[in-house]
Amino acid sequence: MNAMNNEHVILSLGPASEHRPVVLRGPADMAELLPYLLGFYPDDSIVAVGLQGPDLRQGGVIRADLPDSPAQWPAAAEETAALLVALAERHGGRPLQVLLYLCQDPGAPHAPPVVDGLRPLADDLRAAFGRRGVAVKESLCVSGGRWWSFLCRGTGCCDPAGNPVRRGPDPGPAAAAATVAGLVPRGSRKAIIGGLVPIGPPEDAAQRGALARAEAVAGALSREQGIGLLDQAVAEFAAGARELDPDRTALLLFALRDRTVRDRGVEYVRPAELAPAERLWRFLARRAVPPYESCAVAPLTLLAWASWVAGDTATTRVVLGHVLSLAPDYLLAELLHESLNDGMTPAALLAAVDAQRRRREQRPPASAPAGDPPSADDPPSVDAPSTDGVPPADPPSAAAPPTRRPPRPRRPALRRATPPTRAPAAPPAGAVGAGAAAGRARPRRPRRHRPIPVRSPC
């Protein structure tokens, strides 16, 4: 018998549906609702859903990558349990129970189901939550459109080949409720990331050459010239452009490594600007070809921010996770990710960014023009951005208030997905910069020990 057969569970469909509740009546509903709950189809993932209160309502939801090696599974289980409990306690109390999913793509054709290979990890997760006083209400393996319960111990109760996630041509009650609420999964996590991979042959050769030339003169690119490049590119994409030439693209990628230039990109989230800005960020991210992959960090972070403002939280989560796998200490990505994890909507951050932009637009223009972008013969600029292989960390904003959050446990490979939503307080009027807009600037922390490498995001 499966553990969920005795009680119903009430989950929230998230802010896109104004947190409309949906009742899960068993593991079949639990399996079918998963992509609606996250906004995408997870693959090679651990997903944990906390259940709060006597009526077992949804608390926090986190997603982590499945570690490559079974030797890492006990540590991954401990990290998952510690993070979910810590996040729940920040919102009023630890979960009473938890729903667990282990999702993995099937192996080779005619290979045995993955469920048996993942059973030790399911046992590790159950033990890790048990040590924290949290019972596992249900634990499922989801693979290849089928599900298995790790808690089903009955003889002849469950089909060894698994149960179909979709039991017929029509969705089940839980998925139907999600569809009525307007929720549609945006494909798989791998598919979202696949749309952001760097361009390949033959176009990549010209872009690689342009990046090498830009790297040689990036020190001569002033901040004002970088902002001019960005403003012109946004204007062209707003007018219908779909690409820039390789040399301008390369210079802009290096210019965005400067925090002030990047923060100008944060401002381009007004309704008429969102779609062209998202196209530009995607275009730039895909032109960060090897060995210049680190140049994708800034445009990817800007894409995540624009996606969040546009209401596409699935893309936001996946892209931010990808950014943090490329640059774990990139402060703007961390602040956006933590804001999303804390249940914030982008409304207060958006208001702060727009207020900053209005103040900037009301200032008289500078008397001296920005000048043309540099050539290889130009002397270096004293305020040039860093051009080493790792994106520079964001310095703290002096006007922003300090973080007052208590210490959190390490979270090497974990990405929280759908926390309860609460609106944050607006930052002080004097706060400037994207970090300040997030309401908590911090000094750069030392790089955390990461025993479980992040392979891909959420």
Side-chain angles (χ1 to χ4, degrees), residues 264 358-368:
R264 175 67 71 94
R358 288 197 304 272
R359 289 193 298 271
R360 176 180 59 77
E361 292 174 340
Q362 290 168 0
R363 291 196 296 265
S367 56

Side-chain angles (χ1 to χ4, degrees), residues 4 25-26 45 47 60 67 76 89 149 162 168 185 208 226 292 331 340 423-424 432-433:
M4 282 188 63
R25 295 171 174 82
S45 299
V47 181
E89 288 176 340
S149 172
R208 187 175 295 107
Y292 299 96
L331 184 57
L340 192 66
V432 295

Side-chain angles (χ1 to χ4, degrees), residues 49-133:
V49 183
L51 302 177
Q52 311 279 143
D55 54 353
L56 298 180
R57 288 184 173 269
Q58 175 192 328
V61 181
I62 60 174
R63 193 211 67 83
D65 293 337
L66 274 176
D68 293 334
S69 170
Q72 297 174 316
W73 288 357
E78 289 295 329
E79 293 285 353
T80 302
L83 180 58
L84 184 65
V85 169
L87 291 172
E89 288 176 340
R90 279 165 52 188
H91 291 280
R94 67 176 50 221
L96 296 180
Q97 299 186 53
V98 64
L99 302 177
L100 296 174
Y101 300 82
L102 296 181
C103 308
Q104 188 173 55
D105 292 339
H110 310 298
V114 301
V115 58
D116 291 332
L118 293 175
R119 195 173 297 278
L121 176 54
D123 293 340
D124 289 339
L125 285 162
R126 190 175 184 185
F129 278 101
R131 284 190 287 273
R132 292 163 174 80

Side-chain angles (χ1 to χ4, degrees), residues 61 103 131 133 192 218 230 232 299 383 424 454 456:
V61 181
C103 308
R131 284 190 287 273
I192 294 173
L230 176 59
Q232 181 62 31
D383 63 352
V454 177
S456 46

Side-chain angles (χ1 to χ4, degrees), residues 213-456:
R213 292 190 295 274
E215 185 177 27
V217 301
L221 183 69
S222 72
R223 185 167 288 165
E224 291 74 18
Q225 289 170 331
I227 289 174
L229 281 169
L230 176 59
D231 290 346
Q232 181 62 31
V234 171
E236 290 180 18
F237 270 65
R242 295 284 175 173
E243 60 183 18
L244 304 173
D245 67 76
D247 287 301
R248 289 177 63 203
T249 298
L251 282 172
L252 187 50
L253 283 169
F254 277 99
L256 284 168
R257 293 163 67 98
D258 181 90
R259 171 184 163 173
T260 301
V261 179
R262 182 209 62 197
D263 284 359
R264 175 67 71 94
V266 171
E267 297 180 2
Y268 284 113
V269 285
R270 290 176 178 170
E273 298 166 342
L274 266 177
E278 286 186 83
R279 290 201 319 271
L280 176 60
W281 309 142
R282 288 179 183 273
F283 171 83
L284 291 172
R286 297 201 64 206
R287 268 66 192 173
V289 298
Y292 299 96
E293 295 96 327
S294 64
C295 289
V297 169
L300 285 173
T301 304
L302 293 170
L303 173 62
W305 163 242
S307 298
W308 193 23
V309 172
D312 184 0
T313 54
T315 296
T316 304
R317 292 186 189 109
V318 172
V319 174
L320 284 176
H322 185 49
V323 170
L324 292 173
S325 73
L326 294 172
D329 295 314
Y330 194 66
L331 184 57
L332 178 57
E334 281 197 320
L335 291 176
L336 292 176
H337 193 257
E338 289 175 9
S339 298
L340 192 66
N341 287 353
D342 279 346
M344 296 181 181
T345 67
L349 310 185
L350 185 61
V353 169
D354 193 60
Q356 172 185 285
R357 180 175 178 177
R358 288 197 304 272
R359 289 193 298 271
R360 176 180 59 77
E361 292 174 340
Q362 290 168 0
R363 291 196 296 265
S367 56
D372 295 327
S375 70
D377 298 326
D378 292 331
S381 169
V382 294
D383 63 352
S386 169
T387 57
D388 54 16
V390 178
D394 298 321
S397 170
T403 302
R404 292 185 292 273
R405 179 176 298 163
R408 297 166 294 139
R410 294 180 298 113
R411 49 183 182 87
L414 304 178
R415 301 285 180 255
R416 187 172 175 226
T418 52
T421 297
R422 59 181 176 85
V432 295
R440 51 181 185 276
R442 303 170 301 175
R444 183 179 180 183
R445 298 173 299 178
R447 184 180 293 271
R448 294 181 294 273
H449 176 55
R450 295 176 181 264
I452 308 167
V454 177
R455 295 304 180 209
S456 46

